[in-house]
Amino acid sequence: MLVLSRKKGETIVIQDQIELTILSVDGDTVKVGISAPKHVDIFRKEVYLSIQESNRESVAPQTSDLNALIHRLRGSNS
């Protein structure tokens, strides 16, 4: 991980298209402004992890669904 120190109002540039600006610092809270192209997805990490978990759950077959499918297939063959 690259660690940079910035003061309020200072900016970090990532690959010519993304800018992170420190807007304020209040105790443990840092307010960051982000300028990026619209096609770049930006999430809080906890939201990003929740989306990933939901995606994994939606593509993983449920055991009950598999059992129902097996039962149906066996029923259609007899």
Side-chain angles (χ1 to χ4, degrees):
M1 173 189 301
L2 172 65
V3 178
L4 301 172
S5 296
R6 300 277 64 199
K7 295 178 182 173
K8 180 181 171 187
E10 292 182 335
T11 299
I12 297 169
V13 177
I14 302 172
Q15 293 188 346
D16 297 329
Q17 296 183 332
I18 301 170
E19 290 189 9
L20 306 174
T21 302
I22 305 304
L23 300 176
S24 67
V25 179
D26 184 19
D28 290 343
T29 303
V30 178
K31 188 177 284 187
V32 179
I34 303 168
S35 297
K38 290 190 180 282
H39 69 276
V40 175
D41 295 328
I42 301 170
F43 302 102
R44 292 183 184 95
K45 186 168 184 176
E46 61 272 19
V47 172
Y48 178 75
L49 293 174
S50 176
I51 292 169
Q52 284 187 320
E53 180 63 26
S54 293
N55 288 342
R56 275 193 295 273
E57 289 174 4
S58 67
V59 297
Q62 299 291 320
T63 303
S64 60
D65 292 342
L66 288 175
N67 289 337
L69 177 62
I70 290 169
H71 182 73
R72 262 189 162 172
L73 291 174
R74 286 183 179 159
S76 66
N77 289 337
S78 56

